[in-house]
Amino acid sequence: MTFSPVLTLGRLFALPMIAGALLITPAHAKKSSVGGLYSISIAGFKVGRGTLSLVMQGNAYSAKVSLEPAGIGTLFSTGKGGAEASGWLVGSRVVPSKYRMASHAANIDFHVRLKQGSGSIRSMDVAPQFKPNAERIKVTNRHTSNAIDPLSAALMPVGRAKDSLGPKACSRKLPIFDGWTRFDIKLSYEGLKEVSGRGYDGQVVVCKARWVPVAGHRPSKESVKHMAKANMEVWVAPMGRENVLIPYRIAIDTQNGRLVVEASKLNIDGAGSDQASR
Protein backbone atom coordinates (compact mmCIF):
# COMPACT_ATOMS: atom_id res chain seq x y z
CA MET A 1 0.00 0.00 0.00
CA THR A 2 1.50 3.34 -1.05
CA PHE A 3 0.10 6.74 -0.18
CA SER A 4 0.54 8.92 -3.26
CA PRO A 5 -0.55 12.55 -2.94
CA VAL A 6 -0.63 13.04 -6.69
CA LEU A 7 -3.10 10.19 -7.14
CA THR A 8 -5.20 11.37 -4.22
CA LEU A 9 -5.23 14.90 -5.55
CA GLY A 10 -6.01 13.88 -9.11
CA ARG A 11 -8.79 11.46 -8.31
CA LEU A 12 -10.56 12.97 -5.31
CA PHE A 13 -10.89 16.63 -6.11
CA ALA A 14 -12.66 14.95 -8.10
CA LEU A 15 -16.15 19.20 -11.27
CA PRO A 16 -18.06 24.14 -19.38
CA MET A 17 -17.23 27.44 -19.83
CA ILE A 18 -17.07 31.28 -20.52
CA ALA A 19 -13.91 33.32 -21.05
CA GLY A 20 -12.91 34.32 -17.51
CA ALA A 21 -11.02 37.38 -18.66
CA LEU A 22 -14.30 39.05 -19.49
CA LEU A 23 -15.60 38.72 -15.95
CA ILE A 24 -14.87 41.55 -13.50
CA THR A 25 -15.12 41.19 -9.73
CA PRO A 26 -16.28 44.28 -7.78
CA ALA A 27 -13.62 45.59 -5.41
CA HIS A 28 -15.85 45.22 -2.37
CA ALA A 29 -17.92 42.20 -3.35
CA LYS A 30 -19.05 39.87 -0.58
CA LYS A 31 -16.34 37.48 0.60
CA SER A 32 -16.70 33.89 1.82
CA SER A 33 -13.87 31.70 3.04
CA VAL A 34 -13.29 28.17 4.28
CA GLY A 35 -10.33 26.72 6.11
CA GLY A 36 -10.42 22.97 6.56
CA LEU A 37 -8.44 20.04 7.92
CA TYR A 38 -9.13 16.64 6.39
CA SER A 39 -8.23 13.15 7.58
CA ILE A 40 -7.38 10.46 5.00
CA SER A 41 -7.78 6.77 5.87
CA ILE A 42 -7.69 3.42 4.06
CA ALA A 43 -9.43 0.36 5.49
CA GLY A 44 -9.88 2.25 8.75
CA PHE A 45 -6.21 3.18 9.15
CA LYS A 46 -5.17 6.81 9.01
CA VAL A 47 -2.63 7.32 6.22
CA GLY A 48 -2.66 11.05 5.56
CA ARG A 49 -3.98 14.48 6.33
CA GLY A 50 -4.83 17.45 4.18
CA THR A 51 -5.67 21.12 4.41
CA LEU A 52 -8.04 23.17 2.27
CA SER A 53 -8.14 26.96 1.98
CA LEU A 54 -10.84 28.52 -0.18
CA VAL A 55 -11.71 32.18 -0.67
CA MET A 56 -14.54 33.57 -2.80
CA GLN A 57 -14.82 37.25 -3.65
CA GLY A 58 -17.94 37.95 -5.65
CA ASN A 59 -17.75 35.40 -8.46
CA ALA A 60 -13.96 34.85 -8.20
CA TYR A 61 -12.45 31.94 -6.28
CA SER A 62 -8.97 31.02 -5.08
CA ALA A 63 -8.24 27.59 -3.58
CA LYS A 64 -5.26 25.77 -2.10
CA VAL A 65 -4.90 22.21 -0.86
CA SER A 66 -1.99 20.33 0.69
CA LEU A 67 -1.54 16.64 1.49
CA GLU A 68 1.00 14.68 3.50
CA PRO A 69 1.33 11.23 5.11
CA ALA A 70 0.11 10.73 8.67
CA GLY A 71 -0.50 7.79 10.94
CA ILE A 72 0.69 4.53 9.40
CA GLY A 73 1.07 6.38 6.10
CA THR A 74 4.41 7.66 7.38
CA LEU A 75 5.67 4.06 7.36
CA PHE A 76 5.04 3.67 3.63
CA SER A 77 5.72 7.07 2.15
CA THR A 78 7.50 10.34 2.81
CA GLY A 79 5.77 11.96 -0.15
CA LYS A 80 3.68 15.07 0.05
CA GLY A 81 2.03 17.49 -2.33
CA GLY A 82 -0.14 20.50 -2.88
CA ALA A 83 -2.21 22.31 -5.47
CA GLU A 84 -3.58 25.78 -6.20
CA ALA A 85 -6.45 26.81 -8.48
CA SER A 86 -8.30 30.01 -9.32
CA GLY A 87 -11.11 31.10 -11.57
CA TRP A 88 -14.73 32.23 -11.55
CA LEU A 89 -18.21 30.89 -10.92
CA VAL A 90 -20.94 31.78 -13.42
CA GLY A 91 -24.32 30.59 -12.20
CA SER A 92 -23.93 26.85 -11.69
CA ARG A 93 -20.74 26.71 -13.81
CA VAL A 94 -17.13 26.59 -12.70
CA VAL A 95 -14.82 28.59 -15.01
CA PRO A 96 -11.17 27.85 -14.09
CA SER A 97 -8.28 30.13 -14.99
CA LYS A 98 -5.13 28.57 -13.51
CA TYR A 99 -4.15 25.29 -11.85
CA ARG A 100 -0.83 24.21 -10.41
CA MET A 101 0.05 20.95 -8.65
CA ALA A 102 3.38 19.72 -7.28
CA SER A 103 3.98 16.41 -5.53
CA HIS A 104 6.80 14.12 -4.53
CA ALA A 105 6.12 10.40 -4.06
CA ALA A 106 8.08 7.16 -4.60
CA ASN A 107 11.22 9.27 -5.25
CA ILE A 108 9.53 10.92 -8.23
CA ASP A 109 8.62 14.60 -8.63
CA PHE A 110 5.28 15.30 -10.26
CA HIS A 111 4.04 18.68 -11.45
CA VAL A 112 1.18 20.06 -13.49
CA ARG A 113 0.57 23.63 -14.67
CA LEU A 114 -2.59 24.38 -16.60
CA LYS A 115 -3.79 27.70 -18.02
CA GLN A 116 -7.47 27.59 -18.85
CA GLY A 117 -9.94 29.84 -20.59
CA SER A 118 -12.79 29.97 -23.09
CA GLY A 119 -13.81 26.48 -22.01
CA SER A 120 -10.48 24.86 -22.95
CA ILE A 121 -7.00 24.09 -21.65
CA ARG A 122 -4.92 26.79 -23.37
CA SER A 123 -1.50 25.55 -22.29
CA MET A 124 -0.02 22.87 -20.06
CA ASP A 125 3.26 21.79 -18.55
CA VAL A 126 3.21 18.25 -17.12
CA ALA A 127 5.93 15.95 -15.78
CA PRO A 128 6.67 13.13 -15.87
CA GLN A 129 5.07 12.10 -19.15
CA PHE A 130 3.48 8.70 -19.62
CA LYS A 131 5.63 6.12 -21.36
CA PRO A 132 4.41 5.35 -24.91
CA ASN A 133 1.85 2.55 -24.96
CA ALA A 134 -0.28 1.54 -27.95
CA GLU A 135 -3.24 0.70 -25.74
CA ARG A 136 -3.45 4.05 -24.02
CA ILE A 137 -6.37 6.20 -25.21
CA LYS A 138 -4.80 9.36 -26.60
CA VAL A 139 -5.80 12.68 -25.03
CA THR A 140 -6.90 15.10 -27.79
CA ASN A 141 -8.18 18.69 -27.86
CA ARG A 142 -11.69 17.28 -27.69
CA HIS A 143 -10.92 15.81 -24.29
CA THR A 144 -9.46 19.02 -22.84
CA SER A 145 -12.32 21.20 -24.08
CA ASN A 146 -15.02 21.88 -21.49
CA ALA A 147 -12.94 20.18 -18.78
CA ILE A 148 -11.90 21.50 -15.38
CA ASP A 149 -8.98 20.78 -13.09
CA PRO A 150 -9.34 18.48 -10.06
CA LEU A 151 -9.22 21.22 -7.43
CA SER A 152 -11.74 23.50 -9.15
CA ALA A 153 -13.99 20.44 -9.27
CA ALA A 154 -14.28 20.67 -5.49
CA LEU A 155 -16.53 23.74 -5.90
CA MET A 156 -20.09 22.70 -6.64
CA PRO A 157 -22.34 25.71 -7.27
CA VAL A 158 -26.11 25.51 -7.75
CA GLY A 159 -28.24 28.02 -9.62
CA ARG A 160 -30.42 28.92 -6.63
CA ALA A 161 -29.68 28.77 -2.91
CA LYS A 162 -32.89 26.87 -2.21
CA ASP A 163 -31.57 23.98 -4.33
CA SER A 164 -28.35 23.59 -2.33
CA LEU A 165 -29.74 20.96 0.06
CA GLY A 166 -31.64 18.83 -2.44
CA PRO A 167 -31.32 16.64 -5.55
CA LYS A 168 -29.99 19.46 -7.77
CA ALA A 169 -26.82 19.62 -5.66
CA CYS A 170 -25.91 16.19 -7.08
CA SER A 171 -27.40 16.60 -10.55
CA ARG A 172 -24.12 17.07 -12.41
CA LYS A 173 -21.29 15.44 -14.33
CA LEU A 174 -17.82 16.70 -13.51
CA PRO A 175 -15.48 16.59 -16.57
CA ILE A 176 -12.00 16.55 -15.03
CA PHE A 177 -8.55 16.78 -16.65
CA ASP A 178 -5.63 16.31 -14.27
CA GLY A 179 -2.79 16.86 -16.75
CA TRP A 180 -2.42 13.18 -17.60
CA THR A 181 -5.92 11.78 -17.83
CA ARG A 182 -9.45 12.95 -18.61
CA PHE A 183 -12.27 11.36 -16.63
CA ASP A 184 -15.83 12.17 -15.60
CA ILE A 185 -17.35 11.97 -12.16
CA LYS A 186 -21.09 11.37 -12.48
CA LEU A 187 -23.09 12.29 -9.38
CA SER A 188 -26.63 11.31 -8.39
CA TYR A 189 -28.69 12.18 -5.32
CA GLU A 190 -28.96 9.74 -2.42
CA GLY A 191 -30.28 11.83 0.47
CA LEU A 192 -29.40 14.08 3.41
CA LYS A 193 -27.46 13.50 6.61
CA GLU A 194 -27.00 15.53 9.78
CA VAL A 195 -23.43 16.21 10.90
CA SER A 196 -22.02 18.17 13.81
CA GLY A 197 -18.96 18.81 15.93
CA ARG A 198 -16.34 19.56 13.26
CA GLY A 199 -16.96 23.23 12.59
CA TYR A 200 -20.15 22.68 10.63
CA ASP A 201 -23.44 21.72 12.24
CA GLY A 202 -26.28 20.97 9.86
CA GLN A 203 -27.26 18.95 6.85
CA VAL A 204 -24.99 17.60 4.14
CA VAL A 205 -26.11 16.25 0.78
CA VAL A 206 -25.08 12.67 0.05
CA CYS A 207 -24.28 12.04 -3.63
CA LYS A 208 -23.54 8.66 -5.15
CA ALA A 209 -20.55 8.96 -7.50
CA ARG A 210 -19.26 7.01 -10.48
CA TRP A 211 -15.81 7.36 -12.06
CA VAL A 212 -15.83 7.15 -15.87
CA PRO A 213 -12.48 6.95 -17.72
CA VAL A 214 -12.41 9.01 -20.93
CA ALA A 215 -8.80 9.37 -22.17
CA GLY A 216 -5.20 8.91 -21.04
CA HIS A 217 -6.02 5.51 -19.55
CA ARG A 218 -5.15 1.94 -20.49
CA PRO A 219 -8.51 0.10 -20.50
CA SER A 220 -6.98 -3.31 -19.69
CA LYS A 221 -5.39 -2.18 -16.42
CA GLU A 222 -6.96 -3.71 -13.32
CA SER A 223 -6.87 -0.38 -11.47
CA VAL A 224 -8.90 1.28 -14.24
CA LYS A 225 -11.42 -1.57 -14.33
CA HIS A 226 -11.78 -1.44 -10.56
CA MET A 227 -12.24 2.33 -10.38
CA ALA A 228 -14.93 2.20 -13.08
CA LYS A 229 -16.96 -0.23 -10.95
CA ALA A 230 -16.07 1.02 -7.48
CA ASN A 231 -18.67 2.22 -5.01
CA MET A 232 -18.16 5.93 -4.28
CA GLU A 233 -20.04 8.64 -2.46
CA VAL A 234 -19.49 12.32 -1.77
CA TRP A 235 -21.03 14.37 1.03
CA VAL A 236 -21.18 18.09 0.28
CA ALA A 237 -21.89 21.01 2.60
CA PRO A 238 -22.60 24.74 2.06
CA MET A 239 -19.41 26.83 2.29
CA GLY A 240 -20.97 29.92 3.84
CA ARG A 241 -22.68 30.99 0.62
CA GLU A 242 -25.78 28.87 0.34
CA ASN A 243 -25.46 28.38 -3.44
CA VAL A 244 -21.94 26.88 -3.31
CA LEU A 245 -21.08 23.50 -1.78
CA ILE A 246 -17.75 21.80 -1.04
CA PRO A 247 -16.84 18.20 -0.14
CA TYR A 248 -17.29 17.25 3.49
CA ARG A 249 -16.59 13.55 3.03
CA ILE A 250 -15.42 11.41 0.07
CA ALA A 251 -15.45 7.60 0.22
CA ILE A 252 -14.16 5.21 -2.45
CA ASP A 253 -13.81 1.43 -2.40
CA THR A 254 -10.22 0.83 -3.58
CA GLN A 255 -8.24 -2.36 -4.12
CA ASN A 256 -6.59 -1.74 -0.73
CA GLY A 257 -9.84 -1.10 1.16
CA ARG A 258 -12.23 1.80 1.62
CA LEU A 259 -10.52 5.17 1.14
CA VAL A 260 -12.15 7.97 3.15
CA VAL A 261 -11.29 11.67 3.05
CA GLU A 262 -13.33 13.47 5.71
CA ALA A 263 -13.34 16.90 7.30
CA SER A 264 -11.94 16.82 10.82
CA LYS A 265 -12.26 20.59 11.32
CA LEU A 266 -13.87 23.33 9.27
CA ASN A 267 -13.78 27.09 9.74
CA ILE A 268 -16.46 28.68 7.57
CA ASP A 269 -16.75 32.47 7.32
CA GLY A 270 -19.33 34.14 5.08
CA ALA A 271 -18.49 37.73 6.02
CA GLY A 272 -15.89 40.26 4.91
CA SER A 273 -14.91 42.16 1.78
CA ASP A 274 -11.24 41.38 1.09
CA GLN A 275 -10.43 40.45 -2.49
CA ALA A 276 -9.67 36.85 -3.39
CA SER A 277 -6.12 36.37 -4.64
CA ARG A 278 -5.72 34.99 -8.14
Side-chain angles (χ1 to χ4, degrees):
M1 177 174 62
T2 301
F3 173 67
S4 171
V6 69
L7 291 178
T8 301
L9 219 49
R11 297 297 181 263
L12 298 183
F13 288 99
L15 266 160
M17 307 295 173
I18 298 173
L22 299 179
L23 301 175
I24 299 174
T25 302
H28 300 287
K30 183 179 179 181
K31 173 187 172 183
S32 299
S33 64
V34 174
L37 300 177
Y38 287 78
S39 175
I40 305 168
S41 64
I42 296 179
F45 296 98
K46 185 175 180 178
V47 297
R49 57 176 170 257
T51 64
L52 171 67
S53 175
L54 173 64
V55 177
M56 289 197 63
Q57 177 78 30
N59 62 351
Y61 70 86
S62 176
K64 295 182 180 180
V65 65
S66 67
L67 298 168
E68 64 181 15
I72 68 167
T74 59
L75 302 178
F76 300 97
S77 174
T78 58
K80 56 184 178 180
E84 301 179 5
S86 59
W88 295 264
L89 301 184
V90 181
S92 59
R93 296 179 177 179
V94 180
V95 185
S97 175
K98 298 177 183 178
Y99 171 72
R100 183 176 65 180
M101 186 280 292
S103 176
H104 180 82
N107 294 318
I108 300 174
D109 290 320
F110 302 83
H111 79 259
V112 178
R113 292 182 181 86
L114 305 178
K115 290 187 178 180
Q116 304 163 89
S118 300
S120 299
I121 307 296
R122 290 183 170 177
S123 66
M124 70 177 78
D125 178 19
V126 179
Q129 297 289 337
F130 281 141
K131 294 181 180 179
N133 188 293
E135 186 201 10
R136 191 180 310 280
I137 299 172
K138 184 179 179 180
V139 177
T140 68
N141 290 340
R142 178 170 61 89
H143 299 126
T144 58
S145 178
N146 293 334
I148 58 180
D149 63 81
L151 183 50
S152 295
L155 280 77
M156 298 173 57
V158 293
R160 300 178 298 178
K162 70 177 185 180
D163 295 326
S164 62
L165 292 177
K168 288 188 178 180
C170 304
S171 181
R172 67 187 73 223
K173 178 182 74 173
L174 310 178
I176 301 173
F177 178 67
D178 63 7
W180 292 277
T181 60
R182 164 64 204 281
F183 55 95
D184 293 341
I185 302 293
K186 294 185 176 181
L187 300 179
S188 58
Y189 180 75
E190 284 210 324
L192 298 173
K193 285 185 179 291
E194 290 281 344
V195 299
S196 63
R198 298 181 182 184
Y200 171 74
D201 299 329
Q203 291 182 315
V204 296
V205 184
V206 179
C207 307
K208 183 177 181 180
R210 185 164 66 92
W211 183 83
V212 181
V214 177
H217 308 85
R218 292 163 53 191
S220 68
K221 288 195 69 174
E222 287 302 316
S223 58
V224 173
K225 293 179 181 179
H226 178 86
M227 283 287 290
K229 296 186 295 185
N231 291 322
M232 307 180 188
E233 68 176 22
V234 180
W235 301 7
V236 294
M239 65 151 289
R241 287 167 49 153
E242 294 181 350
N243 65 327
V244 180
L245 301 106
I246 59 171
Y248 182 90
R249 184 179 191 268
I250 302 170
I252 304 173
D253 287 341
T254 75
Q255 292 172 303
N256 295 313
R258 193 161 180 82
L259 170 65
V260 178
V261 179
E262 187 168 18
S264 54
K265 185 178 180 180
L266 290 176
N267 181 14
I268 300 174
D269 182 6
S273 61
D274 292 336
Q275 189 168 359
S277 63
R278 63 183 188 276

